[in-house]
Amino acid sequence: MYPRRIAVIGTGYVGLTTGACLASLGHSVCCADVDPQRVERLRRGEIGMREEALAELVEAGIAAGRLIFAVGAKAALLELAQRAGPAEVVFLCVPTPMGVGGAADPTLMEATVEEIRAVLAPGAVVVNKSTVPVGTAARTAGLLGRDDVAVVSNPEFLREGSAVDDFMHPDRIVVGSDAQYAAERVAALYSKLGAPTQLTDAASAEMVKYAANCFLAMKLSYVNALSDLCERLGADVVEVTEGMGYDKRIGQRFLSPGPGWGGSCFPKDMHALLQIADGAGMDFELIRASLNTNLTTHRRVAEKVRDAAGGSVAGRRIGLLGLTFKAGTDDLRDSPALAVGRLLHADGADLVGYDPGCPAAIPGLTDGIMVVDDPEAAAKGAAALVVLTEWPQFRMLDWAALANLVETPVVIDTRNLLDPDVLRRAGFAWMGLGRS
Ligand code: NAD
């Protein structure tokens, strides 16, 4: 491996992590974003997201002169060319949100390709790191219309909250291209990581990302449905999944029930795969069923809260512990906690929410919830407390003190996170998910 000149377009969870990590591996990187204020903050080393070790890496990259920022994709290529030389590899890490009918919307990707096509140096490699429909690499090549520029698919598998660690210690690196030299150049960028690397065709690489994410979402839907059945039959889902997980073909991970799965990837990728299959003349029933199970899970949790509040939440104060889609992140996108919150709000509940990753209300996302910055404020006068995100610090709360603040001492623990004995000793009735 020798250092490359790299442009990264989009500085969100994927783009900024990619840029900072590649800079730390010795490459010269220019990261671009459309948001000038974001770029300004990044130049000062302010990353604007909760992501373990990322701020330190960005700071180190800036200090070493290997990480710079620009406003806009074209500007990034020009700035890199001026500072270090023309970009040899350009990573596209822009959003591919859910579009009409559930398909991934490629508008931003296509606009970026349009923007850079004329300024790409001969021999450059354009890499799709965003999650894109199968066939996007081929369409990107068509849009570029450049025989001297190759396109590679290199899907990203990092998880928010541990993005840097996942990038630096990946389970695998998947690189797909119909141009061998381009795939090898991209794979070589990661050679220091020593991860298993799969070189394949572009369409298969694009499919791997959907196949993996949707499998994980289906696994969670299965476990959530199983937890419902356990509850009805008097079995304990924690015991059941432990027994299942010892089977090496299944494994212990992704076997914990919860209020539903969410985040910026699973829901949109599930809908996108359904659309991809539909476009190919196939009804992917498993995906459809898993999506429905997820909605059922939200409803089931809301129903539990209603039951705990004596049959109705109308006009009752309900304390929500956790708003983000999982612990360790500040990301509220498609959070199952908020989905449950919306159901309770529709039933007339007076919601107060506390989350260590979300200290204040975010218009458009937390609407209907009074966001407070300490758990005591969420507990005060509550007819029920609902644990919706698996923040480990919830285990350490002073539950005896909270019991004195609530109206009714009942906790619905949708993550089976807390120790029921501790809760009972503190005076709470504790209800988990799928537990006898
Ligand atoms: P994000 O929303 O966190 O960040 C995207 C950034 O791109 C924003 O800062 C935005 O301002 C910027 N941007 C938008 N249009 C731009 C343009 N034309 N030029 C330059 N910058 C532009 O997005 P993300 O979570 O990093 O996701 C990016 C892609 O990676 C998506 O396709 C997503 O599905 C995929 N992905 C995400 C994750 C994850 O955990 N977040 C993991 C793997 C893959």
Side-chain angles (χ1 to χ4, degrees):
M1 199 255 346
Y2 51 94
R4 293 281 186 188
R5 296 179 299 272
I6 298 169
V8 178
I9 317 303
T11 64
Y13 291 91
V14 170
L16 188 59
T17 305
T18 300
C21 289
L22 288 174
S24 81
L25 292 172
H27 304 289
S28 292
V29 182
C30 183
C31 288
D33 206 284
V34 273
D35 179 350
Q37 285 167 357
R38 172 145 184 78
V39 170
E40 209 35 64
R41 286 194 297 269
L42 285 169
R43 285 180 177 141
R44 293 198 298 266
E46 297 165 20
I47 65 168
M49 60 176 79
R50 186 185 176 115
E51 200 54 71
E52 189 74 28
L54 186 55
E56 292 82 348
L57 221 52
V58 167
E59 219 171 280
I62 294 171
R66 283 199 298 272
L67 183 60
I68 57 172
F69 296 94
V71 181
K74 192 172 171 180
L77 293 186
L78 297 175
E79 200 153 325
L80 190 67
Q82 207 175 38
R83 295 272 287 262
E88 296 159 288
V89 183
V90 181
F91 282 94
L92 305 182
C93 305
V94 297
T96 47
M98 203 190 302
V100 186
D105 182 352
T107 310
L108 292 173
M109 290 270 310
E110 290 173 1
T112 308
V113 170
E114 245 341 288
E115 191 182 337
I116 60 174
R117 59 189 288 270
V119 287
L120 284 165
V125 175
V126 172
V127 186
N128 284 338
K129 214 173 209 348
S130 297
T131 305
V132 290
V134 179
T136 298
R139 276 194 296 283
T140 304
L143 276 177
L144 281 171
R146 297 265 309 255
D147 290 342
D148 57 346
V149 173
V151 178
V152 166
S153 166
N154 172 216
E156 181 51 60
F157 301 97
L158 63 77
R159 297 160 304 167
E160 290 176 23
S162 55
V164 169
D165 195 52
D166 289 345
F167 190 98
M168 298 304 247
H169 306 100
D171 290 342
R172 79 305 211 182
I173 289 159
V174 177
V175 183
S177 181
D178 304 326
Q180 182 78 11
Y181 81 92
E184 283 169 4
R185 183 188 297 178
V186 173
L189 297 176
Y190 303 100
S191 59
K192 275 190 190 169
L193 303 182
T197 301
Q198 180 188 12
L199 295 186
T200 181
D201 62 281
S204 300
E206 289 163 344
M207 191 66 183
V208 170
K209 176 66 189 175
Y210 283 113
N213 265 9
C214 295
F215 182 80
L216 292 172
M218 287 197 308
K219 193 173 178 187
L220 290 175
S221 272
Y222 178 75
V223 166
N224 285 334
L226 202 66
S227 81
D228 188 2
L229 188 59
C230 284
E231 222 166 86
R232 290 165 193 257
L233 300 177
D236 186 333
V237 75
V238 172
E239 299 294 327
V240 172
T241 51
E242 185 186 337
M244 284 168 68
Y246 285 121
D247 186 328
K248 292 190 184 69
R249 296 169 300 175
I250 297 173
Q252 296 285 358
R253 296 172 75 187
F254 266 70
L255 278 186
S256 300
W261 41 262
S264 69
C265 291
F266 284 2
K268 93 175 163 65
D269 292 353
M270 288 284 275
H271 282 285
L273 188 58
L274 201 58
Q275 284 303 310
I276 291 168
D278 194 51
M282 173 187 161
D283 180 11
F284 209 144
E285 291 169 273
L286 271 172
I287 302 282
R288 195 185 300 286
S290 300
L291 279 161
N292 285 335
T293 299
N294 206 36
L295 298 179
T296 306
T297 304
H298 299 156
R299 285 194 293 269
R300 187 176 139 236
V301 169
E303 219 168 276
K304 264 180 176 290
V305 180
R306 272 194 292 274
D307 289 349
S312 169
V313 290
R316 310 289 300 282
R317 176 166 280 225
I318 305 294
L320 308 180
L321 294 178
L323 301 171
T324 51
F325 83 96
K326 66 172 188 175
T329 182
D330 51 4
D331 199 345
L332 294 165
R333 291 179 287 180
D334 264 313
S335 169
L338 298 182
V340 170
R342 279 191 295 275
L343 292 175
L344 296 171
H345 181 64
D347 282 349
D350 172 16
L351 300 177
V352 187
Y354 165 72
D355 188 293
C358 172
I362 300 189
L365 285 171
T366 59
D367 299 350
I369 303 171
M370 184 167 88
V371 179
V372 292
D373 62 4
D374 70 85
E376 288 79 17
K380 208 165 177 187
L385 282 176
V386 194
V387 175
L388 290 161
T389 311
E390 74 283 23
W391 288 100
Q393 48 268 60
F394 290 161
R395 290 199 188 101
M396 309 303 168
L397 292 176
D398 184 347
W399 286 100
L402 295 182
N404 287 325
L405 293 172
V406 295
E407 179 200 278
T408 318
V410 56
V411 168
I412 298 104
D413 180 0
T414 73
R415 300 282 187 169
N416 294 333
L417 175 78
L418 309 172
D419 182 337
D421 291 335
V422 170
L423 270 279
R424 282 183 199 121
R425 277 201 298 277
F428 276 98
W430 176 90
M431 293 156 77
L433 226 59
R435 307 210 62 184
S436 48

